[in-house]
């Protein structure tokens, strides 16, 4: 293959993705190999790629590609989520632009519009993932509303209902007035809000006095059916047994007594609104109070709101403040900060509301799921999220699974004309059950009415690791037995309750074991100022534009360089630039090596040493990377390969073996270098799939159907005889070479001018060929005394000198040495002070004391050497 002078990601990426797809490298079928399975967290069907998706799917692709290269049968199942609330809201908005209201349509007509929208926009995000290089098994693409998944959802609902775990009842729920549906507790985000605390006057019936009641929500007084005091509150004893008049409403309500009331909050008088506050509802149940629902589904007041009927709740709050002031029924108003629940989907304040809903009992389902994580049968990375998980699972509430929407899985319950209901898979089955239940053999299909509600979106996605392999409908099929449990789940901690915990519960309920072995929690992608990325702030870059600008490999690397597990990612576009620069570094190194001419000549000693050293470095790095992957430290693993290629291979190894200008390289060294390049490309491939495929294909002659994707991940070096201690010795060699180069720079000595290096004392001579080549030396000579006009330096405790003769400026050299002496004397003073501190010496670990004493000895040795050099110059 002809290698272009510059790397062009756009050409390379499309070419190789098509090649991978054409050869079916992403597809998996059960066989004798060990399976490796990941299911994608299904993005919203109408969504588009954002930075969170980019991070999550890059990590999944790294894990899948690595597993594939380890010889496992890797299967990454893609798919999308029907996202009831978000999708329905988008379609309602689209229809509104066309002058159509949802209320003007039948359910069937509306769903036609939603399916049209879904079919038009549904595949966009998956197509975008291909640009990232995602190696999903696209033939397995699933959708939470497709036939198999829908069938699974309905079967599970019926099964749980028949087990007595699903029930229907009136409960206080979180109502979203924008989406006009109930939400589960997990779909409510509590935010600090700056509001007001209103002190209202409730006149005492038959007296001139009044009770002062503090509230943050004066618009709810229309639902007040009592005022509650604490029986032990001395300041409100005069109210016992009396009745008060709700302001503006003029409803007479009793004073009730309960020690639930906080004596210290406000005035100690609590307005009780059973229909619109969870705690008030409990008081209402306890004392048999009337429950008045004052809100319409859209958050406006209904007929109970009297003259405010039809007005929005917040508009009423503003108006009622004025009206209470005018009526002399407002004691005072104070600024007040409190937490308000917001809908996670529509970002509007939720309204506590009594509503008939369907619920799933969670306590029994939660027990095996909690034990699985506590016992590390399912491992969390990072493990800190176990505490979050435990707290929620130990305090779990029943799950409100019904939603007042049309888009979604319709609840399979049918109501009988005389009351009651039956749960069935089909309407025909429902009719049969209805006849049995009612004893009425004349019932017709038209007599039954199906429940209007749909199931919470998460009720389908909690089955995802099972349903993608059809394990609910066909629990003994070959695929579910082979691929389940899945290996890794990569997701955000923000859906640990929505999705992760519920999948674990479903796994134990329907398969009797864990649904995955490991959960890797990514952080939230933020900008470099730490702000969460959002369209409103304009700080969220378009991922596809980044890919176009820096290449997919550059963007993948940019994300991973800033993505330690579980910690938020401070994303900076300059990291993508760093990724692109690394691409260019790899490309240019490859062009350099492939540009060398080879010849049947003897291998230089320096090349032999370089190969041994780099082989040892490669083995060490492979071991480190394996350990990092075992601990899910994926960013750290990438940094290891990055440093190995950039710092060790490019900056040192290639320089050590590079032939002189215009000269050939010996064949043995060349083959070893290509072998190292092959290993480096295979190590890099999971992180940077495109450039590694391009160069691997050009590294040697390949046949059609060969790919780095299915090559083995490196597990050893290529020379297999490099002693590990060489690595330590070589760091000393680097330091010697760096010091010689510094002398050249300081003394303005050209690189092409050979220098002599003198060694005072003992030094390992095995690396002399490397030092001579890299520093352009004429000789390395052991001496007992430095020649006059030499420049010296210390590496560890060995002194080296470079004789410069008449070219040396003695005054400049003395000035340089004086600065060095002052620095080392200051350093020695600080170390000596630490060692003179009895408290430090008594408490410090032995290895710390040993290190400090070594620092002291090294500093003393360097000071002595510098003082001797200065004395020699002055003599």
């Amino acid at each position: 293959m002809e290698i272009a002078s510059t790397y062009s990601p756009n050409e390379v990426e499309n070419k190789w993705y098509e090649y991978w797809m054409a050869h079916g490298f992403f597809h998996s079928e059960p066989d004798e190999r060990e399976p490796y399975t990941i299911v994608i967290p299904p993005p919203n069907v109408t969504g588009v790629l954002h930075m969170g998706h980019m991070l999550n799917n890059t990590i999944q692709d790294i894990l899948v590609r690595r597993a594939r290269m380890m010889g496992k049968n890797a299967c990454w199942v893609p798919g999308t989520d029907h996202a009831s609330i978000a999708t329905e809201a988008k379609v309602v908005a689209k229809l509104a632009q066309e002058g159509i209201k949802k209320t003007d349509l039948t359910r069937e007509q509306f769903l036609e519009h939603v399916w049209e929208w879904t079919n038009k926009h549904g595949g966009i995000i998956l197509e975008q993932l291909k640009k990232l290089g995602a190696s999903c098994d696209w033939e397995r693409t699933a959708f939470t509303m497709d036939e198999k998944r829908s069938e699974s959802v309905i079967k599970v609902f019926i099964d749980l209902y028949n087990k007595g775990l699903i029930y229907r009842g009136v409960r206080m729920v979180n109502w979203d007035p924008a989406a006009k549906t109930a939400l589960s507790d997990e779909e409510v985000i509590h935010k600090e809000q700056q509001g007001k605390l209103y002190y209202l006057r409730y006149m005492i019936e038959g007296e001139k006095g009044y009770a002062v009641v503090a509230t943050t929500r004066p618009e709810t007084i229309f639902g007040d059916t009592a005022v509650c005091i604490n029986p032990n509150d001395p300041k409100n004893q005069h109210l016992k047994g009396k009745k008060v008049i709700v302001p503006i409403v003029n409803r007479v309500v009793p004073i009730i007594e309960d020690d639930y009331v906080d004596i210290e909050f406000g005035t100690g008088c609590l307005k009780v609104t059973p229909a619109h506050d969870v705690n008030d509802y409990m008081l209402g149940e306890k004392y048999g109070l009337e429950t008045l629902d004052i809100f319409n589904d859209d958050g406006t007041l209904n007929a109970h709101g009297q003259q405010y009927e039809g007005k929005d709740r917040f508009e009423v709050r503003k108006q009622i403040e004025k009206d209470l002031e005018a009526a002399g029924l407002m004691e005072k108003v104070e600024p007040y900060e409190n937490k308000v629940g917001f809908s996670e989907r529509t970002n509007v304040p939720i309204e506590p509301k009594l509503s008939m809903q369907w619920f799933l009992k969670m306590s029994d389902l939660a027990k095996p799921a909690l034990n699985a994580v506590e016992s590390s049968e399912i491992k969390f990375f990072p493990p800190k999220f176990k505490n979050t998980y435990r707290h929620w699972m130990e305090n779990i509430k029943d799950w409100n699974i019904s939603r007042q929407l049309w888009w979604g899985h319709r609840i399979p319950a049918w109501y009988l004309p005389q009351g009651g209901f039956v749960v069935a898979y089909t309407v025909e089955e429902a009719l049969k059950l209805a006849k049995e239940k009612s004893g009425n053999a004349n019932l017709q299909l038209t007599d039954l009415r199906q429940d209007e509600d749909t199931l919470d979106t998460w009720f389908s996605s909690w089955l995802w690791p099972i349903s993608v392999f059809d394990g609910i409908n066909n629990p003994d099929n070959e695929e579910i037995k082979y691929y389940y449990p899945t290996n890794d789940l990569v997701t955000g901690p923000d859906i640990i309750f929505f999705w992760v915990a519920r999948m674990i519960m479903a796994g134990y309920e329907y398969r009797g074991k864990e649904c995955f072995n490991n959960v890797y929690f990514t952080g939230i992608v933020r900008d470099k100022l730490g702000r969460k990325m959002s369209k409103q702030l304009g700080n969220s870059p378009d991922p596809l534009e980044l890919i176009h600008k820096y290449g997919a490999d550059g963007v993948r690397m940019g994300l991973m360089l800033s993505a330690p597990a579980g910690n938020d990612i401070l994303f900076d576009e300059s990291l993508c630039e760093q990724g692109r620069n690394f691409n260019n570094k790899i490309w240019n190194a490859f062009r350099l090596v492939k540009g060398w001419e080879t010849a049947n000549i003897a291998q230089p000693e320096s090349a032999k040493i370089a190969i041994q050293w780099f082989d040892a470095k490669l083995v060490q790095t492979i071991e480190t990377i394996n350990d990092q992957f075992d601990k899910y430290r994926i960013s750290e693993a990438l940094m290891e390969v990055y440093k190995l290629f950039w710092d060790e291979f490019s900056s040192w190894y290639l320089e050590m073996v590079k032939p002189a200008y215009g000269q050939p390289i010996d064949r043995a060294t060349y083959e070893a270098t290509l072998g190292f390049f092959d290993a480096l490309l295979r190590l890099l491939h999971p992180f940077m799939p495109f450039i590694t495929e391009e160069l691997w294909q050009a590294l040697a002659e390949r046949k059609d159907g060969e790919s780095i994707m299915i090559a083995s991940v490196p597990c050893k070096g290529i020379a297999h005889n490099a002693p590990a201690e060489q690595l330590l010795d070589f760091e000393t060699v680097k330091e010697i070479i760096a010091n010689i180069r510094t002398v050249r720079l300081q003394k303005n000595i050209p690189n092409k001018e050979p220098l002599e290096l003198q060694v005072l004392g003992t030094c390992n001579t095995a690396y002399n060929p490397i030092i001579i080549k890299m520093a352009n030396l004429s000789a390395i000579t052991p001496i007992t005394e430095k020649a006059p006009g030499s420049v010296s330096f210390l590496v560890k405790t060995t002194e080296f000198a470079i004789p410069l003769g008449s070219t040396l400026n003695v005054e400049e050299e003395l000035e340089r040495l004086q600065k060095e002496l002052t620095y080392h004397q200051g350093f020695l003073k600080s170390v000596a002070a630490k060692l003179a501190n009895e408290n430090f010496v008594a408490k410090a670990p032995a290895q710390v004391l040993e290190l400090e004493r070594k620092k002291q000895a090294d500093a003393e040795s360097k000071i002595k050497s510098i003082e001797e050099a200065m004395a020699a110059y002055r003599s």
Side-chain angles (χ1 to χ4, degrees), residues 453-519:
D453 290 354
T454 54
L455 287 161
D456 180 8
T457 298
W458 298 104
F459 195 84
S460 52
S461 48
W462 81 318
L463 306 173
W464 192 244
I466 306 172
S467 65
V468 293
F469 298 114
D470 205 23
I472 298 292
N473 302 320
N474 298 293
D476 296 317
N477 79 74
E478 183 188 3
E479 294 208 332
I480 191 74
K481 289 193 286 187
Y482 180 76
Y483 291 115
Y484 186 96
T486 66
N487 294 75
D488 297 322
L489 176 76
V490 181
T491 189
D494 52 329
I495 54 174
I496 191 170
F497 311 130
F498 289 127
W499 195 44
V500 179
R502 290 169 178 165
M503 278 192 291
I504 296 172
M505 291 185 230
Y508 283 100
E509 180 67 16
Y510 287 101
R511 299 300 302 174
K513 54 183 166 182
E514 72 277 13
C515 49
F516 29 69
N517 300 320
N518 307 291
V519 183

Side-chain angles (χ1 to χ4, degrees), residues 211-416:
V212 177
V213 177
T215 180
T216 57
R217 305 174 69 213
E219 70 278 9
T220 61
I221 58 174
F222 298 101
D224 289 1
T225 52
V227 168
C228 189
I229 60 170
N230 191 309
N232 305 310
D233 185 356
K235 64 181 178 293
N236 285 317
Q237 293 296 309
H238 66 289
L239 294 174
K240 285 187 173 184
K242 296 182 179 177
K243 293 183 178 181
V244 291
I245 302 164
V246 180
I248 292 184
V249 185
N250 294 323
R251 181 186 304 124
V252 177
V253 298
I255 296 285
I256 61 172
E257 300 171 40
D258 196 285
D259 56 12
Y260 161 75
V261 178
D262 183 357
I263 295 172
E264 303 301 321
F265 179 77
T267 62
C269 292
L270 175 78
K271 64 190 282 301
V272 183
T273 318
H276 298 293
D277 182 276
V278 175
N279 298 310
D280 290 8
Y281 176 67
M282 290 162 63
L283 284 171
E285 290 277 286
K286 187 174 180 179
Y287 294 100
L289 301 176
E290 186 182 3
T291 299
L292 300 174
D293 185 346
I294 67 166
F295 289 116
N296 295 314
D297 287 350
D298 62 357
T300 58
L301 271 69
N302 59 25
H304 287 302
Q306 300 179 2
Q307 67 267 37
Y308 304 97
E309 183 181 1
K311 292 183 178 178
D312 181 76
R313 54 191 168 147
F314 296 117
E315 185 186 336
V316 173
R317 184 179 297 180
K318 290 177 187 174
Q319 185 59 47
I320 211 165
E321 180 183 355
K322 296 174 187 173
D323 295 347
L324 287 162
E325 290 275 9
L329 295 172
M330 182 76 80
E331 181 84 0
K332 61 178 177 177
V333 179
E334 293 176 344
Y336 185 71
E337 192 174 271
N338 68 328
K339 281 196 169 181
V340 176
F342 281 75
S343 166
E344 186 252 350
R345 286 293 181 193
T346 61
N347 200 33
V348 301
I350 60 104
E351 198 60 60
K353 180 180 168 73
L354 276 176
S355 180
M356 178 66 80
Q357 301 288 337
W358 291 87
F359 295 88
L360 174 59
K361 294 177 184 176
M362 299 296 278
S363 56
D364 289 343
L365 290 171
K367 287 171 188 171
L370 175 57
N371 292 338
V373 174
E374 289 288 275
S375 66
S376 295
E377 186 171 38
I378 295 173
K379 295 184 179 69
F380 282 3
F381 296 92
K384 66 180 181 181
F385 288 109
K386 280 177 76 168
N387 296 330
T388 312
Y389 179 85
R390 182 192 307 114
H391 178 75
W392 186 72
M393 294 294 273
E394 288 177 344
N395 297 279
I396 199 162
K397 296 176 183 175
D398 288 356
W399 178 9
N400 173 9
I401 56 172
S402 49
R403 296 292 178 269
Q404 289 61 59
L405 301 164
W406 282 350
W407 174 241
H409 300 101
R410 193 170 180 180
I411 290 175
W414 280 264
Y415 297 98
L416 282 60

Side-chain angles (χ1 to χ4, degrees), residues 49 84 234 244 352 444 475 562 594 624 632 733 762 785:
L49 204 61
S84 295
V244 291
Q444 301 294 315
S562 57
K594 292 296 274 187
T624 304
Y632 290 81
V733 173
T762 58
E785 192 176 327

Side-chain angles (χ1 to χ4, degrees), residues 620-631:
Q620 182 194 51
T621 304
I622 289 169
E623 289 171 357
T624 304
I625 289 168
N626 290 342
D627 182 59
Q628 302 283 27
F629 268 103
D630 288 344
K631 294 170 180 171

Side-chain angles (χ1 to χ4, degrees), residues 49-51 525 533 538-546 571 573:
L49 204 61
H50 59 59
M51 295 306 289
V525 184
M533 288 188 168
N539 63 345
S540 182
D542 180 340
L544 295 182
E545 285 182 15
L546 288 177
F571 179 77
E573 198 170 315

Side-chain angles (χ1 to χ4, degrees), residues 163-208:
K163 287 174 178 173
L165 294 176
I166 286 179
Y167 63 93
R168 185 170 178 262
V170 175
R171 297 287 186 278
M172 183 70 67
V173 298
N174 307 298
W175 188 261
D176 181 339
K180 297 179 189 174
T181 182
L183 305 173
S184 66
D185 290 344
E186 292 71 43
E187 291 168 294
V188 178
I189 309 296
H190 289 90
K191 304 180 189 179
E192 292 284 352
Q193 295 291 299
Q194 192 62 51
K196 295 178 181 179
L197 191 58
Y198 305 85
Y199 291 80
L200 314 185
R201 293 173 179 170
Y202 285 60
M203 307 307 294
I204 301 171
E205 186 186 35
E207 297 181 19
K208 287 187 178 179

Side-chain angles (χ1 to χ4, degrees), residues 544-593:
L544 295 182
E545 285 182 15
L546 288 177
I547 289 172
H548 182 73
K549 189 173 179 181
Y550 300 106
D553 289 336
V555 176
R556 287 167 67 117
M557 186 172 177
L559 277 166
M560 292 311 301
L561 285 174
S562 57
N567 294 326
D568 287 354
I569 289 87
L570 297 181
F571 179 77
D572 187 341
E573 198 170 315
S574 64
L575 290 167
C576 294
E577 192 172 350
Q578 188 179 341
R580 181 180 63 188
N581 293 344
F582 186 45
N583 274 315
N584 293 336
K585 184 79 171 178
I586 298 167
W587 190 264
N588 291 333
F590 188 83
R591 290 185 68 242
L592 171 73
V593 171

